[in-house]
Amino acid sequence: MLSYICLSWVLLVLFTGSTVSELAVIGEVGQDITVPCRYSVRNTGDITSMCWGRDRCPNSKCSQPIIWTDGRKVTERQSSRYQLRGALQKGDVSLTILNARETDSGFYCCRVEIPGLFNDQLVNHKVVVKKARITTASPHTYTSEQTSAPGSTSESSSAVTRTWPSVSASEAPQTASAPCSDPSDCLDVTANLQNTSVSLPSQQHQEHGLYIGIGACAAFLLILSLALLLS
């Protein structure tokens, strides 16, 4: 009877093993990813060795080990990209993967070797490293000059300088100094300028004819006076 109980207990331990928990950690390419793992340290006697491995936790040790500690310091390390930045003597054995890559995705095992039969603390982590997200904001601003098609009109934010025909102060009509607020106003100003340029030569012709008439009358009166004197 006793042997049957002992055999049942051994089989139960072999099939169940240590308690294993699984956690998921998600990060991005190029970031530093921290995979958490802790164990309880109440006094210095609780400090113990541990390891990290690439794969789920086996029955003993770590498969594909990447880092080992003796409880107080790192004794073996596969790559400098694997760091233990926590306080080891306080039970913080979290793994930090520097400059994560897509190839770092997969399962990681944190195994804390606690004295006793099948007492090891096991934690499996599934690490997922995704590509960096593409942001819409850009640190650089690109500007391009917009060119309108032939025959079309376009407006730009820059100020447009309009050049009017030059006239003298006496000939120019009185206009406001502000730019045209409406296209019809600009057309009116242009028409006024054209009318002014046309009317000026006609006025000059009329004055010239008036002077010729006055001169002819004076010459006629002079000839008439001479004729009367001679007679």
Side-chain angles (χ1 to χ4, degrees), residues 36-39 41 84-95:
C37 188
R38 298 183 63 93
Y39 68 96
V41 176
L84 298 183
R85 295 179 171 180
L88 300 182
Q89 299 183 21
K90 294 182 179 180
D92 186 358
V93 290
S94 300
L95 173 68

Side-chain angles (χ1 to χ4, degrees), residues 31-35 37-38 52 67 69 74 77 80-99:
Q31 292 182 342
D32 294 345
I33 299 177
T34 298
V35 187
C37 188
R38 298 183 63 93
W52 278 95
I67 199 164
T69 76
V74 175
R77 192 194 317 269
S80 59
R81 294 177 55 241
Y82 302 124
Q83 300 286 333
L84 298 183
R85 295 179 171 180
L88 300 182
Q89 299 183 21
K90 294 182 179 180
D92 186 358
V93 290
S94 300
L95 173 68
T96 299
I97 305 173
L98 304 180
N99 191 21

